[in-house]
Amino acid sequence: MALLLFPFALAVVGTVSQSLVRGGHVTLAGEWPAAVICLGGLAIHILLTLRAPQADEVILPVTLTLAVLGLLMIGRLAPHFGTRQMVWLVLGLGLLGTLSAYAGDLRWLRRYRYSWAALGLVLLALTLIIGIGPAGTGARLWLGIGSIGFQPSEPLKVLLVVFLASYLAERREQLRHSFIALGPVRLPPLPYLAPMVVVWAFSLMLLVAQRDLGAALLFFGLFLAMLYMATEQSRYVVLGLLLFVVGAYACYLLIPHVRLRVTIWRNPWADPQGAAFQVVQGLIAIGAGGLFGQGLGQGSAGFVPLAHSDYILAALTEEWGLAGLLAIIGLYVLLMERGLRIAMTTEGTFSKLLAAGLTTLIALQALVISGGVLRVIPLTGITLPLISYGGSSLLTTLAAIGLILHISGRSAA
Amino acid sequence: MNRAFRNVGRIMLALFALLAVSATYWSVWRGPSLTKRLDNPRRLAQELHIQRGRILSSNGATLAQTDMTADGAVRHYAYPGLAPLVGYWSATRGVSGLEAAYNDQLRGMSGHDSWSATVEDLLHKPHQGHDLITTLDMDLQQAADEALGNRRGAIVILDPNTGDLLASVSHPYYDPNHLTDEWEQIRDNPDHPLLNRTVQGLYPPGSVLKTVTLATALADNVTHSSEVFTDSTGLFIVEGFPIHDHNHPGISTFDLPHAFGYSCNVVFAQLGLRLGAERFKQGAQDFGFGQTLPVPVESAASSVGRDVALFEQPGLATAAFGQGEVLVTPMQMALVAAAIANGGLVPRVRVVREVRGTDGTVLQRIRPQTWRRAVRGGVAQEVREAMIVAASDGWARSGTPPGIATGGKTGTAQVGGTALPHAWFIGFAPAIHPQIALAVLVENSGQGGAIAAPIARRLFEAALR
C-alpha cells in the first residue's frame, strides 16, 4: 500500500508543476489527471486486496509510476494526445483490474490457443488489406473505427505469448527429449515444432510485409526466449540465433528500409539533417539532459520527431537527466524481476510460462526501443511499454500486467 | 524451468545494464559536444531568451541593444557604420566582431555566480547579459565616416598613450539591422562589406612603410639623422633593377628627415640594403609584423614578404619603401604611428574598457597595456621629428591643419596593372605630447598626399579643436 504513495505523489507534483510552468497558476479543477490516477490506483488496490490478496505488491506501483511518467510527458508535449492517453489508461486499468481479479483459472486462455492465435493473425492480415497509417510514415499498421485507431500487432503479442505458453506447456517433454535421428546427427523434433513454427513464421511474414520491423524483432526474440524457458535446451537458442543472423542479413540485403535503418545506425552523423535527423536530435536531447535534467516541463524535447511516442525516452531524459533515465531502467528491471519471480514461485506449467512470457515481452520491448534510441541497435518503431503514447500498446501492456498479477494472486505464498 | 527463467532474467539484466552504460556514455561523455552542435535547436531557443547586454560608446551612447519581443530577442544597431567592428548578433547566423569576442559577457555567462543563474533558470526569468563600455568616440567616428564617404577604405584612430580605439572605419559596410533579409546580398557583395578592413584587410603600404625602415635603420645605426644624401637623378639601379623616386623634390641633397619627408625611394632602398634582409625583417617584427594584432577581434598579420624575395637585393630594396611583397593592415600602420608617438612602445589596442552589469556595477575593468617595445625612446624621438618635418615641409603637408603642428607620412601604394594606387596616410597630433595617432587608407584612389592626407587633416581638426 505504502508503495502506491510514490506514483500518487509523482502524479500530483507532476501535474501541479506542469501547470505552473505553463501558466504560472494552479487550479484544483486543472489537476484532474492526478485525481483520476490516485482514485484509479486506489480502486485497483482495493480490488486486489479483496479478490487476490496474495498478489504481488510491487508491480502495481511500478506500473503506475511508469504510466504517470508517460502521461506527464505526453500531456506536456501534445496535450490532446495526453487526454486520450488518460482515457486509455483508465480503460487499461479497468482491464487490468478485471483480469487480475476475475480471470479465474485461465482455462479459457489455455484451451483455445489456436483460436486466439488465429484471431490475432486475422486482425494483422486485415491491416495489410484495409490498414491505415495515420502517422504518415508509410507503414500501415492500424485498423480504424471512426476516429479511433487500433494496432493489431499489439494484442497479437499477448495472444502469441498465450499460444506459446499453452502449446509449450503441453509439448514440453517431447520438445525437450525427442529428436529425429538422421544417421549420427540429432535433429530437433520437427513434428512437434511445426505448429509453433508455422504460427511464428506467419506472424513474422506479416510483420515484415507491413514493415513493422520492431515488432518482428520482438516476436522473434520472444519466441526464442519462450522456447528456451520451456525446454531448457540451449540448442534451440543456438539454432534460433543462427536463423536470426541469416534472416537479418537477408532482410538487410532485400529490404531497402532495413538497409536505411542500419546505415543511419552506424553513422548518423553523416546525414544529420536528413534521414538521421530523428536519431541525432534524440541524442542531442539526451545530451541536453545532463545528470539531473532540465527540469519537469522545461526541456525542449518537442524538437525531436515523435517525442511523444517512439522517442519519449529522449524527452524524458532531457527533463529528468541521466538520473531519471537510470531510474526508468531500474523500474523496468524491477518489473521484470517481480514478473520472473512470480513465474518461478507459481505452480502449473502454463501459468509459469505465461507469467514468464508476458514479463519477457514487456522487458524485451523496453530493451529494443531504448536500444534504438540510445543507438545501441538500429532504431525500430515500437513503443516504450506504459510510457509511450499509444492506446493499443497501453491497453495490451496493462492487460498483460493484469494477467501477471492474477497469476501471482493464485499462487500460494 | 526455473533455472531457465533465471538465465533469461540474467541475460536481460545484462542487456539493461548495457543500456545504462550507453545512457551514461551519451549523457555524460558526449553530452557537452552534442549540446554544442549547430543543429541543436535549443541553442537558438536559448539565445532568443537572453536579454543580451548593450554595447556603448565611451560616452554611454548605445551602439547595440536587445529588445525582447514576443518572438524572442531582437538586436538593434544604432550606428551601422561601426558594423565591421561591432559585428552582428543573429539567432540564426551567429555572431561576429565584438559581439563574438565578448559573447560570454554579453550573454551574462561570465562573472555570474552559478547560484543566481540556477535561480533565474527555475523562475524562468530572461537571462540578463552584461553591458560593454567601449573606447569609441562617436564624434570622431562620425567625422571619420563622413570624411571617407562613399570610397572603399579604412581609417583607424587611436590614443597612442593608452591604445584606446577612438574610431574604426571600414567602407563599404552593411546594415546589421537587416542582416537576415539581406544576407545573400551582403555575403556575395564583391566589395566584401563583412570584412573589417582595419584589421583584416591586407594592402601594399607604399611609402608609409618608410617609417618602419627609418626606425629600424636608426635603431641599428646604419644611418643617423644628420646624414646627408645625394640623389640628383632620382634613379637607383639594384642588380639591374631600376628604382625610381616618384616625387622628386627638385633638390639633390637633403638630410635624412627630409629624405623621409620627400619620400625618396632611392634613399630608402639604400637604407634597406644597408640593413640586410635579416635586420630589416626583425625591425618590422619589432613593430608587430608577422603576428596577429593585439585586438580582441580576428586579425591578419602584416608581412614584409617572403624570405625568398627579401634575400634578393632588388626584393629587399623595394620592400624597404613599401612595395615588393609587403602587405599591411591599416591597424598595424596606426600602431606604428602610435608607437612613434608613444616613445617607441606599441600599445595593446583597447576597444572595451569596462564590462558592467545592467545595474551599473563594474564587473570587469580592462586597463591599457603595452604590447611590445618597437624601438628605444631616443630612436622614436628621431622618427617623430622626421614625421614632423614631413608634415611641415614634406608631402605630408596637406595633412596638417592650420595652426596645429602634427607628424605624418603619406604613401602611394602601386598595385600593378591599370588600377589606381592606394592612398595612405599615417600620423599623430599634436606634434608635442601627441593625443591621437591614425592611419587612413583609401583604396585605388590616387596619391596619398592628395587623397588620404586631407582626410587626416579633417580628423586632426575634429579631434583637437
Side-chain angles (χ1 to χ4, degrees), chain B residues 16-71:
Chain B
F16 275 115
L18 179 63
L19 278 186
V21 168
S22 173
T24 312
Y25 168 71
W26 287 112
S27 220
V28 177
W29 191 255
R30 295 284 294 264
S33 59
L34 281 169
T35 324
K36 286 204 190 80
R37 283 177 64 92
L38 292 178
D39 57 355
N40 180 0
R42 287 159 194 76
R43 291 171 32 130
L44 177 59
Q46 196 190 29
E47 282 294 309
L48 288 172
H49 202 59
I50 294 178
Q51 172 73 61
R52 197 174 172 81
R54 299 171 299 166
I55 300 180
L56 307 171
S57 76
S58 194
N59 277 349
T62 304
L63 301 173
Q65 74 175 47
T66 294
D67 296 321
M68 304 299 285
T69 67
D71 293 325

Coordinates of all heavy atoms in Angstrom, one line a residue, chain B residues 16-71:
Chain B
F16 N 20.0 -4.7 -19.9 CA 19.6 -3.4 -19.3 C 20.8 -2.7 -18.8 O 20.9 -1.4 -18.8 CB 18.6 -3.6 -18.1 CG 17.2 -3.7 -18.6 CD1 16.4 -4.9 -18.4 CD2 16.5 -2.6 -19.2 CE1 15.1 -5.0 -18.9 CE2 15.2 -2.7 -19.6 CZ 14.5 -3.9 -19.4
A17 N 21.8 -3.4 -18.2 CA 23.0 -2.8 -17.8 C 23.7 -2.2 -18.9 O 24.3 -1.1 -18.8 CB 23.9 -3.8 -17.1
L18 N 23.7 -2.9 -20.0 CA 24.3 -2.3 -21.2 C 23.7 -1.0 -21.6 O 24.3 0.0 -21.9 CB 24.2 -3.3 -22.4 CG 24.8 -2.8 -23.7 CD1 26.3 -2.6 -23.6 CD2 24.5 -3.9 -24.8
L19 N 22.3 -0.9 -21.5 CA 21.6 0.3 -21.8 C 22.1 1.4 -20.8 O 22.2 2.6 -21.2 CB 20.1 0.1 -21.6 CG 19.3 -0.5 -22.7 CD1 17.8 -0.5 -22.4 CD2 19.5 0.2 -24.0
A20 N 22.2 1.0 -19.5 CA 22.6 2.0 -18.5 C 24.0 2.6 -18.9 O 24.2 3.8 -18.8 CB 22.6 1.4 -17.1
V21 N 24.9 1.7 -19.3 CA 26.2 2.2 -19.7 C 26.1 3.1 -20.9 O 26.7 4.2 -20.9 CB 27.1 1.0 -20.0 CG1 28.4 1.5 -20.7 CG2 27.5 0.2 -18.8
S22 N 25.3 2.7 -21.9 CA 25.2 3.5 -23.0 C 24.6 4.9 -22.7 O 25.0 5.9 -23.2 CB 24.3 2.8 -24.0 OG 23.9 3.6 -25.1
A23 N 23.6 4.9 -21.8 CA 22.9 6.1 -21.4 C 24.0 7.0 -20.8 O 24.0 8.2 -21.1 CB 21.8 5.8 -20.4
T24 N 24.8 6.5 -19.9 CA 25.8 7.3 -19.3 C 26.8 7.9 -20.3 O 27.2 9.0 -20.2 CB 26.6 6.5 -18.2 OG1 25.7 5.8 -17.4 CG2 27.5 7.4 -17.4
Y25 N 27.1 7.0 -21.3 CA 28.0 7.5 -22.3 C 27.5 8.7 -23.0 O 28.1 9.7 -23.2 CB 28.3 6.3 -23.3 CG 29.0 6.7 -24.5 CD1 30.3 7.1 -24.5 CD2 28.3 6.8 -25.7 CE1 30.9 7.5 -25.7 CE2 28.9 7.2 -26.9 CZ 30.2 7.5 -26.9 OH 30.8 7.9 -28.1
W26 N 26.2 8.6 -23.5 CA 25.7 9.7 -24.3 C 25.4 10.9 -23.4 O 25.6 12.0 -23.8 CB 24.3 9.3 -24.9 CG 24.6 8.3 -26.0 CD1 24.2 7.0 -26.1 CD2 25.2 8.6 -27.3 NE1 24.6 6.5 -27.3 CE2 25.2 7.4 -28.0 CE3 25.7 9.8 -27.8 CZ2 25.7 7.4 -29.3 CZ3 26.3 9.7 -29.1 CH2 26.3 8.5 -29.8
S27 N 25.0 10.7 -22.2 CA 24.6 11.8 -21.3 C 25.8 12.6 -20.8 O 25.9 13.8 -20.9 CB 23.8 11.2 -20.1 OG 22.8 12.0 -19.8
V28 N 26.7 11.8 -20.3 CA 27.9 12.5 -19.6 C 29.1 12.7 -20.5 O 29.6 13.8 -20.5 CB 28.3 11.6 -18.3 CG1 29.5 12.2 -17.7 CG2 27.1 11.5 -17.4
W29 N 29.4 11.6 -21.2 CA 30.6 11.7 -22.0 C 30.4 12.6 -23.3 O 31.2 13.5 -23.6 CB 31.0 10.3 -22.4 CG 32.4 10.2 -23.0 CD1 32.7 10.0 -24.3 CD2 33.6 10.3 -22.3 NE1 34.0 10.0 -24.5 CE2 34.7 10.2 -23.3 CE3 34.0 10.5 -21.0 CZ2 36.0 10.2 -23.0 CZ3 35.3 10.6 -20.7 CH2 36.3 10.4 -21.7
R30 N 29.4 12.3 -24.0 CA 29.1 13.0 -25.3 C 28.2 14.2 -25.1 O 28.0 15.0 -26.0 CB 28.5 12.1 -26.3 CG 29.4 10.9 -26.7 CD 30.5 11.4 -27.6 NE 30.0 11.8 -28.9 CZ 29.9 11.1 -30.0 NH1 30.3 9.8 -29.9 NH2 29.4 11.5 -31.1
G31 N 27.6 14.3 -23.9 CA 26.6 15.4 -23.7 C 27.1 16.8 -24.1 O 26.4 17.4 -24.9
P32 N 28.2 17.2 -23.6 CA 28.7 18.6 -23.9 C 28.9 18.8 -25.4 O 28.4 19.8 -25.9 CB 30.0 18.7 -23.2 CG 29.9 17.8 -22.0 CD 29.1 16.6 -22.5
S33 N 29.5 17.9 -26.1 CA 29.7 18.1 -27.5 C 28.4 18.0 -28.3 O 28.2 18.7 -29.3 CB 30.7 17.1 -28.1 OG 30.3 15.8 -27.9
L34 N 27.5 17.2 -27.8 CA 26.2 17.1 -28.5 C 25.4 18.5 -28.4 O 24.8 19.0 -29.3 CB 25.3 16.0 -27.9 CG 25.6 14.6 -28.4 CD1 24.9 13.6 -27.5 CD2 25.3 14.4 -29.8
T35 N 25.5 19.0 -27.2 CA 24.8 20.3 -26.9 C 25.3 21.4 -27.8 O 24.6 22.3 -28.2 CB 24.8 20.7 -25.5 OG1 24.8 19.5 -24.7 CG2 23.7 21.5 -25.1
K36 N 26.7 21.3 -28.0 CA 27.3 22.4 -28.8 C 27.0 22.4 -30.3 O 27.4 23.2 -31.0 CB 28.8 22.4 -28.6 CG 29.2 22.9 -27.2 CD 30.7 23.4 -27.2 CE 31.2 23.7 -25.9 NZ 31.6 22.4 -25.2
R37 N 26.4 21.3 -30.7 CA 26.2 21.1 -32.2 C 25.4 22.2 -32.7 O 24.5 22.7 -32.1 CB 25.5 19.8 -32.5 CG 26.4 18.6 -32.4 CD 25.6 17.3 -32.6 NE 25.1 17.3 -33.9 CZ 25.6 16.7 -35.0 NH1 26.8 16.2 -34.8 NH2 25.1 16.7 -36.1
L38 N 25.7 22.6 -33.9 CA 25.0 23.7 -34.5 C 23.6 23.4 -34.9 O 22.7 24.3 -35.0 CB 25.7 24.2 -35.8 CG 27.1 24.8 -35.5 CD1 27.8 25.2 -36.8 CD2 26.9 26.1 -34.6
D39 N 23.3 22.1 -35.1 CA 21.9 21.7 -35.4 C 21.1 21.4 -34.1 O 20.0 20.8 -34.2 CB 21.8 20.6 -36.4 CG 22.5 19.3 -35.8 OD1 23.2 19.4 -34.7 OD2 22.5 18.3 -36.5
N40 N 21.6 21.9 -33.0 CA 20.8 21.8 -31.7 C 19.9 23.0 -31.6 O 20.4 24.1 -31.3 CB 21.8 21.7 -30.5 CG 21.0 21.6 -29.2 OD1 19.8 21.5 -29.2 ND2 21.8 21.5 -28.1
P41 N 18.6 22.8 -31.8 CA 17.7 23.9 -31.9 C 17.6 24.6 -30.5 O 17.1 25.7 -30.4 CB 16.4 23.4 -32.4 CG 16.5 21.9 -32.2 CD 17.9 21.5 -32.1
R42 N 18.0 23.9 -29.4 CA 17.9 24.5 -28.1 C 18.8 25.7 -28.0 O 18.4 26.7 -27.2 CB 18.3 23.5 -27.0 CG 17.3 22.4 -26.8 CD 17.9 21.2 -26.2 NE 17.0 20.1 -26.3 CZ 16.9 19.4 -27.5 NH1 17.6 19.8 -28.5 NH2 16.0 18.4 -27.5
R43 N 19.9 25.7 -28.7 CA 20.8 26.9 -28.6 C 20.1 28.1 -29.1 O 20.1 29.2 -28.5 CB 22.0 26.6 -29.4 CG 22.9 25.6 -28.9 CD 24.0 25.2 -29.9 NE 24.4 26.4 -30.7 CZ 25.6 26.8 -30.8 NH1 26.6 26.2 -30.3 NH2 25.8 27.9 -31.6
L44 N 19.4 27.9 -30.2 CA 18.6 29.1 -30.8 C 17.6 29.5 -29.8 O 17.4 30.7 -29.5 CB 18.0 28.6 -32.1 CG 17.1 29.6 -32.8 CD1 17.9 30.8 -33.1 CD2 16.5 29.0 -34.0
A45 N 16.8 28.5 -29.3 CA 15.8 28.9 -28.3 C 16.3 29.6 -27.1 O 15.8 30.6 -26.6 CB 15.0 27.7 -27.9
Q46 N 17.5 29.2 -26.7 CA 18.1 29.8 -25.5 C 18.6 31.2 -25.9 O 18.4 32.2 -25.1 CB 19.3 29.0 -25.1 CG 19.8 29.3 -23.7 CD 21.1 28.7 -23.4 OE1 21.9 28.4 -24.2 NE2 21.3 28.4 -22.1
E47 N 19.2 31.4 -27.0 CA 19.6 32.7 -27.5 C 18.5 33.7 -27.5 O 18.7 34.8 -27.1 CB 20.2 32.6 -28.9 CG 21.6 32.0 -29.0 CD 22.6 32.9 -28.4 OE1 22.7 34.1 -28.6 OE2 23.4 32.4 -27.5
L48 N 17.4 33.3 -28.0 CA 16.3 34.2 -28.1 C 15.7 34.6 -26.7 O 14.9 35.5 -26.6 CB 15.1 33.5 -28.9 CG 15.5 33.4 -30.4 CD1 14.4 32.6 -31.1 CD2 15.6 34.8 -31.0
H49 N 16.1 33.9 -25.7 CA 15.5 34.1 -24.4 C 16.4 35.0 -23.5 O 16.1 35.3 -22.4 CB 15.3 32.7 -23.7 CG 14.3 32.8 -22.6 ND1 13.0 33.1 -22.8 CD2 14.4 32.5 -21.3 CE1 12.4 33.1 -21.7 NE2 13.2 32.6 -20.7
I50 N 17.6 35.3 -24.0 CA 18.6 36.1 -23.2 C 18.4 37.6 -23.5 O 18.4 38.0 -24.7 CB 20.0 35.6 -23.6 CG1 20.2 34.2 -23.1 CG2 21.0 36.5 -22.9 CD1 21.5 33.7 -23.5
Q51 N 18.4 38.3 -22.5 CA 18.4 39.8 -22.6 C 19.9 40.2 -22.8 O 20.6 40.4 -21.8 CB 17.8 40.4 -21.3 CG 18.0 41.9 -21.3 CD 17.1 42.7 -22.2 OE1 15.9 42.5 -22.2 NE2 17.7 43.4 -23.1
R52 N 20.3 40.2 -24.0 CA 21.8 40.4 -24.3 C 22.2 41.8 -23.9 O 21.4 42.8 -24.0 CB 22.0 40.2 -25.8 CG 23.4 40.0 -26.2 CD 23.5 39.7 -27.7 NE 24.8 39.7 -28.2 CZ 25.6 38.7 -28.1 NH1 25.2 37.6 -27.5 NH2 26.8 38.7 -28.6
G53 N 23.4 41.9 -23.4 CA 23.9 43.2 -22.9 C 24.0 44.2 -24.0 O 24.1 43.9 -25.2
R54 N 24.1 45.5 -23.7 CA 24.3 46.6 -24.7 C 25.8 46.8 -24.9 O 26.6 46.5 -24.1 CB 23.7 47.9 -24.1 CG 22.2 47.8 -23.9 CD 21.7 49.1 -23.1 NE 22.4 49.2 -21.9 CZ 22.4 50.3 -21.2 NH1 21.7 51.4 -21.6 NH2 23.0 50.4 -20.0
I55 N 26.0 47.4 -26.1 CA 27.4 47.9 -26.4 C 27.3 49.4 -26.5 O 26.5 49.9 -27.2 CB 27.9 47.3 -27.7 CG1 27.9 45.8 -27.6 CG2 29.3 47.8 -28.0 CD1 28.4 45.1 -28.9
L56 N 28.1 50.1 -25.7 CA 28.0 51.5 -25.6 C 29.3 52.2 -26.0 O 30.4 51.6 -25.9 CB 27.7 51.9 -24.1 CG 26.5 51.2 -23.5 CD1 26.5 51.5 -22.0 CD2 25.2 51.7 -24.1
S57 N 29.2 53.4 -26.5 CA 30.4 54.2 -26.8 C 31.0 54.7 -25.5 O 30.4 54.5 -24.4 CB 30.0 55.4 -27.7 OG 29.4 56.4 -26.9
S58 N 32.1 55.4 -25.6 CA 32.8 55.8 -24.4 C 31.9 56.7 -23.6 O 32.0 56.7 -22.3 CB 34.1 56.5 -24.8 OG 34.9 56.7 -23.6
N59 N 31.1 57.5 -24.2 CA 30.3 58.5 -23.5 C 28.9 57.9 -23.1 O 28.1 58.6 -22.5 CB 29.9 59.6 -24.5 CG 31.0 60.7 -24.4 OD1 31.9 60.6 -23.6 ND2 31.0 61.6 -25.4
G60 N 28.7 56.6 -23.4 CA 27.5 56.0 -23.0 C 26.4 55.9 -24.1 O 25.3 55.5 -23.8
A61 N 26.7 56.4 -25.3 CA 25.7 56.3 -26.3 C 25.5 54.8 -26.7 O 26.5 54.1 -26.8 CB 26.1 57.1 -27.6
T62 N 24.3 54.4 -26.9 CA 24.0 53.0 -27.2 C 24.3 52.7 -28.7 O 23.9 53.3 -29.6 CB 22.5 52.7 -27.0 OG1 22.2 53.0 -25.7 CG2 22.3 51.2 -27.2
L63 N 25.2 51.7 -28.9 CA 25.5 51.3 -30.2 C 24.7 50.0 -30.6 O 24.4 49.8 -31.8 CB 27.0 51.0 -30.4 CG 27.9 52.2 -30.0 CD1 29.4 51.7 -30.0 CD2 27.7 53.3 -31.0
A64 N 24.5 49.2 -29.6 CA 23.8 47.9 -29.9 C 23.0 47.6 -28.7 O 23.5 47.7 -27.6 CB 24.7 46.8 -30.2
Q65 N 21.7 47.2 -28.9 CA 20.9 46.8 -27.7 C 19.9 45.8 -28.2 O 19.5 45.7 -29.4 CB 20.2 48.0 -27.1 CG 19.1 48.5 -27.9 CD 18.4 49.6 -27.1 OE1 19.0 50.5 -26.5 NE2 17.1 49.5 -27.0
T66 N 19.4 45.0 -27.2 CA 18.4 43.9 -27.5 C 17.1 44.3 -26.9 O 17.0 44.7 -25.7 CB 18.9 42.6 -26.9 OG1 20.1 42.2 -27.6 CG2 17.9 41.5 -27.1
D67 N 16.0 44.2 -27.7 CA 14.7 44.3 -27.2 C 14.0 42.9 -27.2 O 14.2 42.2 -28.1 CB 13.9 45.2 -28.1 CG 14.4 46.6 -28.1 OD1 14.9 47.1 -27.1 OD2 14.4 47.2 -29.2
M68 N 13.3 42.6 -26.1 CA 12.6 41.3 -26.0 C 11.2 41.5 -26.6 O 10.4 42.2 -26.0 CB 12.6 40.9 -24.6 CG 13.9 40.8 -23.9 SD 15.1 39.6 -24.6 CE 14.4 38.1 -24.1
T69 N 11.0 40.8 -27.7 CA 9.6 40.8 -28.2 C 9.0 39.5 -28.0 O 9.6 38.6 -27.4 CB 9.7 41.1 -29.7 OG1 10.3 39.9 -30.3 CG2 10.5 42.3 -30.1
A70 N 7.7 39.4 -28.4 CA 7.0 38.1 -28.2 C 7.7 37.0 -28.9 O 7.6 35.8 -28.5 CB 5.6 38.3 -28.8
D71 N 8.4 37.2 -30.0 CA 9.1 36.1 -30.7 C 10.5 35.9 -30.2 O 11.2 35.1 -30.7 CB 9.2 36.5 -32.2 CG 7.9 36.5 -32.9 OD1 7.0 35.7 -32.5 OD2 7.7 37.4 -33.8

